[in-house]
Amino acid sequence: MTYVIGIDIGTSSLKSIVVNKNGDVVDSYSVSYHTLHPKSGYSEMNPDIWYDATIESLKHLLNKYAQKEITGISFSGQMHGLVVIDQAGAVIRPAILWNDTRTSNEVDEIKNKLGLDALLKFTQNTVLEGFTLPKLMWLKNNEIDNYNKIHKFMLPKDYIVYKLTGNIFTEPSDAAGTIMFSVKEENWSTELLNSLDIDASICPDIIASHEKSGQLTDDVKKALNIDWDINIYQGGADNACGALGSGITDEQKQLVSIGTSGVALSIENNTDYENDGNVHYFNHCMPDQKYIMGVTLSAGYSLEWLKQLLDPDADFAAFLKTISDSDVGSNGLMYTPYLLGERTPHNDAAVRGSFIGLDANTTQLDMKRSVIEGITYSINESIQIMKNNGINIKEIVSIGGGAKNQEWLQIQADVFDAAITTRTEEQGPAYGAAMLAAMGEAWFDTFNEMSQSWITYNQKVSPIEENSKSYHNLFDIYKTIYDATQPVTQKLSKFK
């Protein structure tokens, strides 16, 4: 039997899975780690922590299999993170991660220098604090010595590929999230780079997501105690890999992924599509495919925050067990999940969340349900943008924490007014990474063929008409809260 390994480099852990030619996950291994927050708004990590976790995982998994049974490895990685190395290949400073928000001044600088129209022309996206470009500009403005040492910048997964193979590449799905990449032309935007006085030579070369990056170096094989070659494939951005691993390969299905952040994603292959900046427009990890995506910054993070306040020792299944005891609308309580600001559709790093409608009869169950409903309303704002763009949303594949609770699945179906289905064996973005390795190994001729062979779904959860009508009215109320509370949270921020 021959196998491939898919590795997902997440924010708080690295997950590796072993997949056979039937698409079955036969083994897995996870390593947890912690992000550093040296200052308020900062989020950093030594990228060698990811590499050490990769080596630990591969040691554990490879020792279980006979020589040459595992032939290919590919990666999914958290998007937008900035890793910089010098001419000797050494890491210059800790990686700046996707959820780092120190770059507000740089975002303003980029917008003032280029303007929204030019940004959309060059990259088909606007710029936000979490993206790679303002991080690079922050280095230029605040750590000029480090900036001048840069030989190449990379995204998190690309650094691991470099450490394993000695070769420096990236691919379109992660490059798109840097906001230095032309999504339609699929190359680095030299116009943008020149406008901001960034040397294009620090950008890695682009290859396809399922293209071979190299093989394990002799030093890595020695560290892993193996003596055979393993092919390394470049991999993809976590959202793209999550979509691929959920069977989102055409316009027929959409994806909702609820992890730390929340994502709504749909394939958009209309060559005339022009993004207005309200959503992200990125390259898929499949050739010649693109998608639009909306993001809720504090999705599962909101629920984790509430659990830490109310019942820190409970697991999530127990914490959410009785949310159905609170009715649709959470007894008149509404929550906005703006703990870290918000992406879609507001693109506002400064706004903060709120509970609206608290009274003497509010219970913990109402608060739990209102947080779940608020997360779902926020994701629905992205769903509505997709519908307004002419996407016929009838069936959504839900993955992540939101797919693990039956009541939440029903809430999603009712709020989105669409059938919700889940994967029979969800493994998240790591499974998409394994699919990229399988395509690199030529196990299938096309991605659609592989998807049809490997991916199966559970029974659909259909919307309840009466609930959908109520949620339609509640959603209209939810949409008014941002404008009403944004000035207040701005003023309150001065007291922090």
Side-chain angles (χ1 to χ4, degrees), residues 255-299:
L255 177 74
V256 165
S257 173
I258 302 176
T260 303
S261 59
V263 167
L265 182 154
S266 182
I267 301 294
E268 176 55 82
N269 283 327
N270 179 4
T271 57
D272 294 328
Y273 175 76
E274 295 292 337
N275 191 18
D276 61 6
N278 282 330
V279 291
H280 308 318
Y281 178 46
F282 291 154
N283 304 83
H284 207 335
C285 54
M286 297 184 298
D288 303 319
Q289 292 265 34
K290 298 172 180 64
Y291 63 85
I292 59 175
M293 180 177 75
V295 176
T296 295
L297 279 182
S298 300

mmCIF file of all heavy atoms in Angstrom, residues 255-299:
data_model
loop_
_atom_site.group_PDB
_atom_site.id
_atom_site.type_symbol
_atom_site.label_atom_id
_atom_site.label_comp_id
_atom_site.label_asym_id
_atom_site.label_seq_id
_atom_site.Cartn_x
_atom_site.Cartn_y
_atom_site.Cartn_z
ATOM 1 N N LEU A 255 -18.774 26.693 1.016
ATOM 2 C CA LEU A 255 -18.148 26.242 2.256
ATOM 3 C C LEU A 255 -18.391 27.253 3.364
ATOM 4 O O LEU A 255 -18.268 28.453 3.160
ATOM 5 C CB LEU A 255 -16.629 26.075 2.058
ATOM 6 C CG LEU A 255 -15.834 25.669 3.310
ATOM 7 C CD1 LEU A 255 -16.073 24.210 3.638
ATOM 8 C CD2 LEU A 255 -14.337 25.926 3.103
ATOM 9 N N VAL A 256 -18.722 26.741 4.552
ATOM 10 C CA VAL A 256 -18.666 27.535 5.771
ATOM 11 C C VAL A 256 -17.750 26.799 6.739
ATOM 12 O O VAL A 256 -17.970 25.627 7.045
ATOM 13 C CB VAL A 256 -20.060 27.736 6.404
ATOM 14 C CG1 VAL A 256 -19.942 28.230 7.841
ATOM 15 C CG2 VAL A 256 -20.872 28.727 5.585
ATOM 16 N N SER A 257 -16.713 27.469 7.164
ATOM 17 C CA SER A 257 -15.734 26.881 8.084
ATOM 18 C C SER A 257 -15.683 27.737 9.344
ATOM 19 O O SER A 257 -15.424 28.931 9.277
ATOM 20 C CB SER A 257 -14.348 26.830 7.424
ATOM 21 O OG SER A 257 -13.366 26.414 8.351
ATOM 22 N N ILE A 258 -15.956 27.095 10.480
ATOM 23 C CA ILE A 258 -15.963 27.838 11.745
ATOM 24 C C ILE A 258 -14.888 27.257 12.653
ATOM 25 O O ILE A 258 -15.055 26.198 13.256
ATOM 26 C CB ILE A 258 -17.341 27.784 12.430
ATOM 27 C CG1 ILE A 258 -18.417 28.343 11.489
ATOM 28 C CG2 ILE A 258 -17.314 28.570 13.735
ATOM 29 C CD1 ILE A 258 -19.826 28.258 12.022
ATOM 30 N N GLY A 259 -13.761 27.954 12.680
ATOM 31 C CA GLY A 259 -12.690 27.641 13.601
ATOM 32 C C GLY A 259 -12.488 28.848 14.492
ATOM 33 O O GLY A 259 -13.448 29.472 14.940
ATOM 34 N N THR A 260 -11.215 29.206 14.768
ATOM 35 C CA THR A 260 -10.943 30.438 15.499
ATOM 36 C C THR A 260 -11.619 31.613 14.802
ATOM 37 O O THR A 260 -12.296 32.434 15.429
ATOM 38 C CB THR A 260 -9.431 30.681 15.592
ATOM 39 O OG1 THR A 260 -8.811 29.565 16.213
ATOM 40 C CG2 THR A 260 -9.139 31.934 16.397
ATOM 41 N N SER A 261 -11.443 31.682 13.497
ATOM 42 C CA SER A 261 -12.190 32.633 12.671
ATOM 43 C C SER A 261 -13.267 31.854 11.921
ATOM 44 O O SER A 261 -13.315 30.631 11.963
ATOM 45 C CB SER A 261 -11.261 33.347 11.699
ATOM 46 O OG SER A 261 -10.616 32.409 10.848
ATOM 47 N N GLY A 262 -14.135 32.580 11.248
ATOM 48 C CA GLY A 262 -15.178 31.951 10.444
ATOM 49 C C GLY A 262 -15.031 32.358 8.994
ATOM 50 O O GLY A 262 -14.673 33.501 8.693
ATOM 51 N N VAL A 263 -15.327 31.433 8.084
ATOM 52 C CA VAL A 263 -15.125 31.682 6.665
ATOM 53 C C VAL A 263 -16.345 31.210 5.883
ATOM 54 O O VAL A 263 -16.891 30.134 6.152
ATOM 55 C CB VAL A 263 -13.871 30.925 6.155
ATOM 56 C CG1 VAL A 263 -13.822 30.900 4.636
ATOM 57 C CG2 VAL A 263 -12.609 31.563 6.713
ATOM 58 N N ALA A 264 -16.768 32.022 4.942
ATOM 59 C CA ALA A 264 -17.722 31.603 3.922
ATOM 60 C C ALA A 264 -17.012 31.712 2.581
ATOM 61 O O ALA A 264 -16.402 32.750 2.281
ATOM 62 C CB ALA A 264 -18.973 32.471 3.949
ATOM 63 N N LEU A 265 -17.083 30.666 1.768
ATOM 64 C CA LEU A 265 -16.263 30.601 0.553
ATOM 65 C C LEU A 265 -17.071 30.004 -0.583
ATOM 66 O O LEU A 265 -17.791 29.018 -0.387
ATOM 67 C CB LEU A 265 -15.014 29.761 0.844
ATOM 68 C CG LEU A 265 -13.957 29.559 -0.230
ATOM 69 C CD1 LEU A 265 -12.592 29.286 0.412
ATOM 70 C CD2 LEU A 265 -14.296 28.397 -1.164
ATOM 71 N N SER A 266 -16.913 30.591 -1.763
ATOM 72 C CA SER A 266 -17.582 30.073 -2.951
ATOM 73 C C SER A 266 -16.684 30.249 -4.169
ATOM 74 O O SER A 266 -16.016 31.279 -4.321
ATOM 75 C CB SER A 266 -18.913 30.809 -3.184
ATOM 76 O OG SER A 266 -19.590 30.274 -4.306
ATOM 77 N N ILE A 267 -16.659 29.239 -5.026
ATOM 78 C CA ILE A 267 -15.899 29.332 -6.277
ATOM 79 C C ILE A 267 -16.489 30.453 -7.136
ATOM 80 O O ILE A 267 -17.713 30.593 -7.245
ATOM 81 C CB ILE A 267 -15.951 27.992 -7.043
ATOM 82 C CG1 ILE A 267 -15.379 26.857 -6.191
ATOM 83 C CG2 ILE A 267 -15.210 28.107 -8.373
ATOM 84 C CD1 ILE A 267 -13.908 26.973 -5.897
ATOM 85 N N GLU A 268 -15.622 31.242 -7.737
ATOM 86 C CA GLU A 268 -16.041 32.330 -8.629
ATOM 87 C C GLU A 268 -15.142 32.287 -9.858
ATOM 88 O O GLU A 268 -14.009 32.771 -9.839
ATOM 89 C CB GLU A 268 -15.937 33.684 -7.928
ATOM 90 C CG GLU A 268 -16.261 34.894 -8.795
ATOM 91 C CD GLU A 268 -17.622 34.815 -9.446
ATOM 92 O OE1 GLU A 268 -18.615 35.148 -8.786
ATOM 93 O OE2 GLU A 268 -17.661 34.394 -10.633
ATOM 94 N N ASN A 269 -15.647 31.656 -10.931
ATOM 95 C CA ASN A 269 -14.839 31.485 -12.142
ATOM 96 C C ASN A 269 -15.251 32.407 -13.278
ATOM 97 O O ASN A 269 -14.802 32.236 -14.409
ATOM 98 C CB ASN A 269 -14.912 30.024 -12.623
ATOM 99 C CG ASN A 269 -14.035 29.108 -11.768
ATOM 100 O OD1 ASN A 269 -12.987 29.522 -11.287
ATOM 101 N ND2 ASN A 269 -14.477 27.878 -11.582
ATOM 102 N N ASN A 270 -16.097 33.390 -12.968
ATOM 103 C CA ASN A 270 -16.465 34.376 -13.976
ATOM 104 C C ASN A 270 -15.255 35.274 -14.248
ATOM 105 O O ASN A 270 -14.819 36.020 -13.368
ATOM 106 C CB ASN A 270 -17.659 35.196 -13.476
ATOM 107 C CG ASN A 270 -18.083 36.267 -14.467
ATOM 108 O OD1 ASN A 270 -17.538 36.374 -15.567
ATOM 109 N ND2 ASN A 270 -19.046 37.074 -14.068
ATOM 110 N N THR A 271 -14.704 35.195 -15.435
ATOM 111 C CA THR A 271 -13.491 35.965 -15.757
ATOM 112 C C THR A 271 -13.738 37.464 -15.738
ATOM 113 O O THR A 271 -12.794 38.250 -15.654
ATOM 114 C CB THR A 271 -12.948 35.565 -17.137
ATOM 115 O OG1 THR A 271 -13.968 35.749 -18.130
ATOM 116 C CG2 THR A 271 -12.492 34.101 -17.133
ATOM 117 N N ASP A 272 -15.004 37.875 -15.789
ATOM 118 C CA ASP A 272 -15.337 39.296 -15.750
ATOM 119 C C ASP A 272 -15.560 39.799 -14.329
ATOM 120 O O ASP A 272 -15.850 40.992 -14.138
ATOM 121 C CB ASP A 272 -16.610 39.562 -16.576
ATOM 122 C CG ASP A 272 -16.391 39.307 -18.057
ATOM 123 O OD1 ASP A 272 -15.258 39.519 -18.536
ATOM 124 O OD2 ASP A 272 -17.353 38.871 -18.731
ATOM 125 N N TYR A 273 -15.440 38.914 -13.334
ATOM 126 C CA TYR A 273 -15.707 39.322 -11.958
ATOM 127 C C TYR A 273 -14.717 40.403 -11.524
ATOM 128 O O TYR A 273 -13.509 40.284 -11.729
ATOM 129 C CB TYR A 273 -15.596 38.120 -11.016
ATOM 130 C CG TYR A 273 -15.745 38.499 -9.552
ATOM 131 C CD1 TYR A 273 -16.999 38.792 -9.025
ATOM 132 C CD2 TYR A 273 -14.640 38.590 -8.713
ATOM 133 C CE1 TYR A 273 -17.147 39.160 -7.694
ATOM 134 C CE2 TYR A 273 -14.779 38.954 -7.376
ATOM 135 C CZ TYR A 273 -16.042 39.235 -6.879
ATOM 136 O OH TYR A 273 -16.175 39.595 -5.565
ATOM 137 N N GLU A 274 -15.231 41.460 -10.920
ATOM 138 C CA GLU A 274 -14.403 42.539 -10.406
ATOM 139 C C GLU A 274 -14.734 42.734 -8.929
ATOM 140 O O GLU A 274 -15.870 43.077 -8.586
ATOM 141 C CB GLU A 274 -14.647 43.843 -11.180
ATOM 142 C CG GLU A 274 -14.220 43.790 -12.646
ATOM 143 C CD GLU A 274 -12.706 43.678 -12.828
ATOM 144 O OE1 GLU A 274 -11.969 44.071 -11.895
ATOM 145 O OE2 GLU A 274 -12.279 43.193 -13.890
ATOM 146 N N ASN A 275 -13.780 42.528 -8.071
ATOM 147 C CA ASN A 275 -14.002 42.645 -6.639
ATOM 148 C C ASN A 275 -14.088 44.110 -6.230
ATOM 149 O O ASN A 275 -13.296 44.937 -6.687
ATOM 150 C CB ASN A 275 -12.864 41.948 -5.886
ATOM 151 C CG ASN A 275 -13.150 41.792 -4.407
ATOM 152 O OD1 ASN A 275 -14.299 41.883 -3.971
ATOM 153 N ND2 ASN A 275 -12.115 41.556 -3.631
ATOM 154 N N ASP A 276 -15.035 44.410 -5.335
ATOM 155 C CA ASP A 276 -15.160 45.784 -4.841
ATOM 156 C C ASP A 276 -14.466 45.972 -3.497
ATOM 157 O O ASP A 276 -14.516 47.060 -2.912
ATOM 158 C CB ASP A 276 -16.629 46.200 -4.734
ATOM 159 C CG ASP A 276 -17.432 45.332 -3.764
ATOM 160 O OD1 ASP A 276 -16.835 44.472 -3.085
ATOM 161 O OD2 ASP A 276 -18.660 45.508 -3.696
ATOM 162 N N GLY A 277 -13.835 44.921 -2.981
ATOM 163 C CA GLY A 277 -13.099 45.017 -1.731
ATOM 164 C C GLY A 277 -13.876 44.589 -0.505
ATOM 165 O O GLY A 277 -13.300 44.482 0.582
ATOM 166 N N ASN A 278 -15.172 44.313 -0.656
ATOM 167 C CA ASN A 278 -15.969 43.895 0.495
ATOM 168 C C ASN A 278 -15.696 42.444 0.890
ATOM 169 O O ASN A 278 -15.941 42.054 2.035
ATOM 170 C CB ASN A 278 -17.463 44.076 0.223
ATOM 171 C CG ASN A 278 -17.892 45.520 0.353
ATOM 172 O OD1 ASN A 278 -17.312 46.276 1.121
ATOM 173 N ND2 ASN A 278 -18.902 45.914 -0.400
ATOM 174 N N VAL A 279 -15.259 41.640 -0.069
ATOM 175 C CA VAL A 279 -14.865 40.262 0.213
ATOM 176 C C VAL A 279 -13.443 40.056 -0.310
ATOM 177 O O VAL A 279 -12.871 40.918 -0.981
ATOM 178 C CB VAL A 279 -15.823 39.248 -0.451
ATOM 179 C CG1 VAL A 279 -17.185 39.262 0.200
ATOM 180 C CG2 VAL A 279 -15.930 39.495 -1.956
ATOM 181 N N HIS A 280 -12.865 38.924 0.012
ATOM 182 C CA HIS A 280 -11.561 38.562 -0.532
ATOM 183 C C HIS A 280 -11.761 37.766 -1.821
ATOM 184 O O HIS A 280 -12.693 36.957 -1.923
ATOM 185 C CB HIS A 280 -10.774 37.715 0.465
ATOM 186 C CG HIS A 280 -10.683 38.319 1.834
ATOM 187 N ND1 HIS A 280 -10.455 39.658 2.044
ATOM 188 C CD2 HIS A 280 -10.808 37.760 3.068
ATOM 189 C CE1 HIS A 280 -10.428 39.908 3.345
ATOM 190 N NE2 HIS A 280 -10.653 38.767 3.986
ATOM 191 N N TYR A 281 -10.893 37.986 -2.771
ATOM 192 C CA TYR A 281 -10.946 37.289 -4.058
ATOM 193 C C TYR A 281 -9.574 36.667 -4.270
ATOM 194 O O TYR A 281 -8.600 37.369 -4.564
ATOM 195 C CB TYR A 281 -11.299 38.286 -5.161
ATOM 196 C CG TYR A 281 -11.345 37.731 -6.568
ATOM 197 C CD1 TYR A 281 -11.996 36.537 -6.849
ATOM 198 C CD2 TYR A 281 -10.759 38.425 -7.627
ATOM 199 C CE1 TYR A 281 -12.064 36.050 -8.142
ATOM 200 C CE2 TYR A 281 -10.834 37.956 -8.923
ATOM 201 C CZ TYR A 281 -11.478 36.757 -9.186
ATOM 202 O OH TYR A 281 -11.531 36.275 -10.464
ATOM 203 N N PHE A 282 -9.487 35.356 -4.065
ATOM 204 C CA PHE A 282 -8.199 34.671 -4.032
ATOM 205 C C PHE A 282 -8.161 33.512 -5.021
ATOM 206 O O PHE A 282 -9.191 33.021 -5.485
ATOM 207 C CB PHE A 282 -7.924 34.116 -2.623
ATOM 208 C CG PHE A 282 -7.676 35.155 -1.563
ATOM 209 C CD1 PHE A 282 -7.945 34.878 -0.225
ATOM 210 C CD2 PHE A 282 -7.167 36.406 -1.871
ATOM 211 C CE1 PHE A 282 -7.716 35.817 0.774
ATOM 212 C CE2 PHE A 282 -6.928 37.365 -0.891
ATOM 213 C CZ PHE A 282 -7.207 37.063 0.436
ATOM 214 N N ASN A 283 -6.956 33.047 -5.286
ATOM 215 C CA ASN A 283 -6.753 31.852 -6.105
ATOM 216 C C ASN A 283 -6.973 30.604 -5.268
ATOM 217 O O ASN A 283 -6.558 30.523 -4.107
ATOM 218 C CB ASN A 283 -5.332 31.829 -6.679
ATOM 219 C CG ASN A 283 -5.010 33.073 -7.462
ATOM 220 O OD1 ASN A 283 -4.637 34.091 -6.889
ATOM 221 N ND2 ASN A 283 -5.153 33.011 -8.780
ATOM 222 N N HIS A 284 -7.617 29.611 -5.870
ATOM 223 C CA HIS A 284 -7.798 28.314 -5.227
ATOM 224 C C HIS A 284 -6.480 27.538 -5.337
ATOM 225 O O HIS A 284 -5.551 27.954 -6.039
ATOM 226 C CB HIS A 284 -8.926 27.550 -5.925
ATOM 227 C CG HIS A 284 -9.635 26.558 -5.052
ATOM 228 N ND1 HIS A 284 -9.056 25.964 -3.952
ATOM 229 C CD2 HIS A 284 -10.900 26.029 -5.131
ATOM 230 C CE1 HIS A 284 -9.917 25.134 -3.389
ATOM 231 N NE2 HIS A 284 -11.046 25.162 -4.080
ATOM 232 N N CYS A 285 -6.395 26.415 -4.634
ATOM 233 C CA CYS A 285 -5.200 25.579 -4.768
ATOM 234 C C CYS A 285 -5.330 24.605 -5.927
ATOM 235 O O CYS A 285 -4.430 23.781 -6.148
ATOM 236 C CB CYS A 285 -4.891 24.842 -3.463
ATOM 237 S SG CYS A 285 -6.245 23.863 -2.800
ATOM 238 N N MET A 286 -6.428 24.680 -6.651
ATOM 239 C CA MET A 286 -6.581 23.943 -7.909
ATOM 240 C C MET A 286 -6.277 24.887 -9.066
ATOM 241 O O MET A 286 -6.663 26.058 -9.018
ATOM 242 C CB MET A 286 -8.005 23.397 -8.057
ATOM 243 C CG MET A 286 -8.407 22.387 -7.012
ATOM 244 S SD MET A 286 -10.053 21.727 -7.348
ATOM 245 C CE MET A 286 -11.023 23.224 -7.238
ATOM 246 N N PRO A 287 -5.609 24.411 -10.098
ATOM 247 C CA PRO A 287 -5.263 25.296 -11.221
ATOM 248 C C PRO A 287 -6.504 25.930 -11.847
ATOM 249 O O PRO A 287 -7.556 25.292 -11.983
ATOM 250 C CB PRO A 287 -4.564 24.342 -12.211
ATOM 251 C CG PRO A 287 -4.069 23.207 -11.367
ATOM 252 C CD PRO A 287 -5.073 23.049 -10.271
ATOM 253 N N ASP A 288 -6.377 27.214 -12.171
ATOM 254 C CA ASP A 288 -7.396 27.951 -12.924
ATOM 255 C C ASP A 288 -8.717 28.086 -12.168
ATOM 256 O O ASP A 288 -9.767 28.297 -12.786
ATOM 257 C CB ASP A 288 -7.646 27.287 -14.287
ATOM 258 C CG ASP A 288 -6.374 27.168 -15.112
ATOM 259 O OD1 ASP A 288 -5.583 28.126 -15.112
ATOM 260 O OD2 ASP A 288 -6.158 26.109 -15.727
ATOM 261 N N GLN A 289 -8.679 27.979 -10.843
ATOM 262 C CA GLN A 289 -9.874 28.186 -10.038
ATOM 263 C C GLN A 289 -9.636 29.346 -9.082
ATOM 264 O O GLN A 289 -8.554 29.490 -8.517
ATOM 265 C CB GLN A 289 -10.202 26.935 -9.209
ATOM 266 C CG GLN A 289 -10.638 25.741 -10.032
ATOM 267 C CD GLN A 289 -12.161 25.658 -10.142
ATOM 268 O OE1 GLN A 289 -12.838 26.683 -10.186
ATOM 269 N NE2 GLN A 289 -12.694 24.458 -10.183
ATOM 270 N N LYS A 290 -10.679 30.151 -8.905
ATOM 271 C CA LYS A 290 -10.618 31.271 -7.972
ATOM 272 C C LYS A 290 -11.857 31.242 -7.098
ATOM 273 O O LYS A 290 -12.869 30.640 -7.466
ATOM 274 C CB LYS A 290 -10.493 32.592 -8.725
ATOM 275 C CG LYS A 290 -9.218 32.682 -9.568
ATOM 276 C CD LYS A 290 -9.203 33.903 -10.442
ATOM 277 C CE LYS A 290 -7.917 33.949 -11.269
ATOM 278 N NZ LYS A 290 -7.820 32.821 -12.223
ATOM 279 N N TYR A 291 -11.775 31.905 -5.949
ATOM 280 C CA TYR A 291 -12.925 31.914 -5.058
ATOM 281 C C TYR A 291 -13.061 33.275 -4.393
ATOM 282 O O TYR A 291 -12.105 34.036 -4.304
ATOM 283 C CB TYR A 291 -12.825 30.809 -4.002
ATOM 284 C CG TYR A 291 -11.648 30.933 -3.046
ATOM 285 C CD1 TYR A 291 -11.726 31.720 -1.899
ATOM 286 C CD2 TYR A 291 -10.468 30.228 -3.268
ATOM 287 C CE1 TYR A 291 -10.666 31.815 -1.013
ATOM 288 C CE2 TYR A 291 -9.393 30.318 -2.391
ATOM 289 C CZ TYR A 291 -9.502 31.113 -1.269
ATOM 290 O OH TYR A 291 -8.448 31.204 -0.389
ATOM 291 N N ILE A 292 -14.290 33.567 -3.974
ATOM 292 C CA ILE A 292 -14.520 34.737 -3.132
ATOM 293 C C ILE A 292 -14.785 34.245 -1.713
ATOM 294 O O ILE A 292 -15.338 33.164 -1.505
ATOM 295 C CB ILE A 292 -15.665 35.631 -3.649
ATOM 296 C CG1 ILE A 292 -16.978 34.865 -3.744
ATOM 297 C CG2 ILE A 292 -15.301 36.240 -4.977
ATOM 298 C CD1 ILE A 292 -18.157 35.739 -4.142
ATOM 299 N N MET A 293 -14.375 35.027 -0.751
ATOM 300 C CA MET A 293 -14.409 34.576 0.636
ATOM 301 C C MET A 293 -14.696 35.751 1.553
ATOM 302 O O MET A 293 -14.128 36.831 1.401
ATOM 303 C CB MET A 293 -13.053 33.942 0.995
ATOM 304 C CG MET A 293 -12.951 33.437 2.422
ATOM 305 S SD MET A 293 -11.349 32.628 2.725
ATOM 306 C CE MET A 293 -10.263 34.069 2.817
ATOM 307 N N GLY A 294 -15.574 35.526 2.505
ATOM 308 C CA GLY A 294 -15.798 36.480 3.579
ATOM 309 C C GLY A 294 -15.310 35.889 4.880
ATOM 310 O O GLY A 294 -15.334 34.667 5.072
ATOM 311 N N VAL A 295 -14.855 36.748 5.790
ATOM 312 C CA VAL A 295 -14.225 36.276 7.024
ATOM 313 C C VAL A 295 -14.834 36.974 8.238
ATOM 314 O O VAL A 295 -14.991 38.202 8.250
ATOM 315 C CB VAL A 295 -12.705 36.530 6.999
ATOM 316 C CG1 VAL A 295 -12.072 36.132 8.332
ATOM 317 C CG2 VAL A 295 -12.048 35.757 5.863
ATOM 318 N N THR A 296 -15.165 36.184 9.249
ATOM 319 C CA THR A 296 -15.506 36.668 10.581
ATOM 320 C C THR A 296 -14.306 36.414 11.474
ATOM 321 O O THR A 296 -13.907 35.261 11.665
ATOM 322 C CB THR A 296 -16.741 35.925 11.130
ATOM 323 O OG1 THR A 296 -17.875 36.244 10.326
ATOM 324 C CG2 THR A 296 -17.011 36.295 12.577
ATOM 325 N N LEU A 297 -13.704 37.460 12.009
ATOM 326 C CA LEU A 297 -12.442 37.293 12.735
ATOM 327 C C LEU A 297 -12.596 36.465 14.008
ATOM 328 O O LEU A 297 -11.755 35.626 14.316
ATOM 329 C CB LEU A 297 -11.845 38.657 13.083
ATOM 330 C CG LEU A 297 -11.062 39.372 11.989
ATOM 331 C CD1 LEU A 297 -10.510 40.688 12.520
ATOM 332 C CD2 LEU A 297 -9.924 38.507 11.467
ATOM 333 N N SER A 298 -13.649 36.715 14.771
ATOM 334 C CA SER A 298 -13.798 36.068 16.084
ATOM 335 C C SER A 298 -15.017 35.161 16.075
ATOM 336 O O SER A 298 -16.052 35.481 16.675
ATOM 337 C CB SER A 298 -13.911 37.114 17.194
ATOM 338 O OG SER A 298 -12.760 37.923 17.234
ATOM 339 N N ALA A 299 -14.901 34.027 15.397
ATOM 340 C CA ALA A 299 -16.005 33.076 15.344
ATOM 341 C C ALA A 299 -15.883 32.114 16.529
ATOM 342 O O ALA A 299 -16.384 32.386 17.618
ATOM 343 C CB ALA A 299 -15.995 32.342 14.015
#
